Amino acid sequence: MAPENVHRQAVLERRTRDGWLAGTDFDRAPFTIAWEITRACAFSCVHCRADAQHRRNPQELSTEEGFALIDRLTEFGSPILVFTGGDPMMRRDLFDLIEYADRAGLRCSLTPTATALPTVARLRRAQEAGIRRIALSLDAPSPEVHDDFRKVAGSWERTMTILRNARSLGISTQINTTVTSHNVDLLPEMVTFVQEVGAVQWSVFFLVPMGRGQQLSMISPERHEEVFAWLHDLSLAGEFDVKATAAPMYRRVAAQRSAGGSAAGAGFAFHDGLDRPAQGVNDGRGFLFISHLGDVMPSGFLPITAGNVRHDDVVDLYRHHPLFRGLRDPERLTGKCGVCEFREVCGGQRGRAYAITGDPFASDPACAYVPSGWTG
Ligand code: SF4
């Protein structure tokens, strides 16, 4: 075994032995960390969280700062580290960062934009550096709707090419679909499509209205409910993993529809080496976001800054900052979520509550459920 692999194996064995694998205790470690290594992107997608820019910001974390950040993230054990953006392919040191993180024992995935940058050679390089999965956005099974979302003609076709190339290299692929009133009726067609392209997971993202996404329509709470039930049926069919993103209410629906009332793992069923958390991930609770400038937030959809990795310790922020601690405390929830019998397994999507009400602890406006104790 190569020396770097011996080191990596030793790191992983130590963490397993110490019970440090991600998901064991969300008060101590996130399951997933998303690092927006740049905000630069050639696209201007209408629902972009990052409100991405065409040029890189000179204040982005440097390569050395990135290495130092990764060193600190290892304190969390072996969480999933998502290299995201913007378009992460816009950074020339991307593969160095991936390699460094992989050797440190983090489980790396990548969310490239469907431009000409993810060539076969670059995908292979990403794979060699340690990428275990790539996730691509695809909002419709045909070019018209998707290209209109992305505001780039040909982006659907380009996505298909990247998916095919990744598959031929043996890289596991994930499709991310943002659900809005514009494409919700196309979801059933997406199922066949996801199967055909061989994706291991379909991540169905329920819109959080921020950035350019504010211009789009969220589906109604009742429509959310219908889609959750439909997704739950689909997940039971087991053709591929189904993940409801920015939708902890999906776990409530799964619990209501399960004989034992259990939602364990609902929406987070990974079978390809990326593991699954034992409990529901939510903003700041099993999830951590680091911006291109080093700001530490509970998620990219809850843009409240707790500190900055340039002068604060990211581990300390996640574990002890009042914002993060509050987001992990169901007692802090107000409105319907505050009295809901499902607040432990669900808790509502905190970013959506913040985007719509300005209060990260308010009820999730996308939820149709009326708790038994609700008198409002
Ligand atoms: S009321 Fe809140 S906690 Fe209850 S199911 Fe809806 S979003 Fe979840």
Side-chain angles (χ1 to χ4, degrees), residues 249 252 336-337 340 342-343 346-349 363-364 367 369 371:
M249 303 88 85
R252 183 255 304 159
K336 276 199 312 179
C337 292
C340 184
F342 290 101
R343 64 182 186 171
C346 170
Q349 214 286 324
S363 276
D364 184 338
C367 181
Y369 183 70

Side-chain angles (χ1 to χ4, degrees), residues 150-335:
R150 304 283 148 185
K151 296 295 172 208
V152 177
S155 74
W156 187 89
E157 221 31 87
R158 186 91 70 182
T159 305
M160 298 306 298
T161 302
I162 298 168
L163 281 168
R164 271 194 299 272
N165 289 340
R167 198 177 171 191
S168 70
L169 290 169
I171 303 174
S172 130
T173 55
Q174 169 180 324
I175 288 180
N176 297 342
T177 300
T178 301
V179 179
T180 71
S181 55
H182 301 278
N183 68 345
V184 65
D185 294 334
L186 298 174
L187 292 180
E189 287 177 52
M190 282 295 295
V191 175
T192 319
F193 186 79
V194 172
Q195 281 171 325
E196 282 173 2
V197 299
V200 298
Q201 185 176 86
W202 187 25
S203 173
V204 182
F205 172 78
F206 291 83
L207 187 69
V208 175
M210 59 183 299
R212 283 187 277 260
Q214 288 168 347
Q215 298 163 22
L216 290 177
S217 305
M218 274 171 54
I219 58 174
S220 69
E222 293 71 28
R223 195 76 174 99
H224 272 87
E225 207 72 4
E226 290 168 5
V227 177
F228 292 150
W230 175 79
L231 270 183
H232 188 240
D233 286 341
L234 182 65
S235 74
L236 297 177
E239 296 289 344
F240 45 78
D241 290 337
V242 174
K243 178 175 179 287
T245 304
M249 303 88 85
Y250 177 75
R251 290 196 292 275
R252 183 255 304 159
V253 171
Q256 288 174 305
R257 300 176 99 228
S258 302
S262 168
F268 299 93
F270 303 126
H271 302 300
D272 64 345
L274 288 182
D275 207 356
R276 70 160 77 181
Q279 54 188 306
V281 171
N282 207 331
D283 298 349
R285 189 175 100 176
F287 197 93
L288 171 67
F289 179 86
I290 300 154
S291 84
H292 62 308
L293 304 179
D295 288 336
V296 177
M297 306 173 186
S299 88
F301 300 100
L302 182 48
I304 304 177
T305 302
N308 188 289
V309 300
R310 285 188 162 120
H311 45 76
D312 298 300
D313 178 33
V314 65
V315 176
D316 185 54
L317 289 174
Y318 177 82
R319 290 179 181 166
H320 305 299
H321 191 280
L323 174 64
F324 279 85
R325 289 173 68 99
L327 289 168
R328 294 193 291 267
D329 180 5
E331 296 293 327
R332 292 290 307 276
L333 297 172
T334 60

Side-chain angles (χ1 to χ4, degrees), residues 58-72:
Q59 299 304 313
E60 282 172 3
L61 294 182
S62 68
T63 308
E64 289 306 317
E65 286 174 318
F67 289 160
L69 170 62
I70 290 165
D71 285 342
R72 286 306 295 141

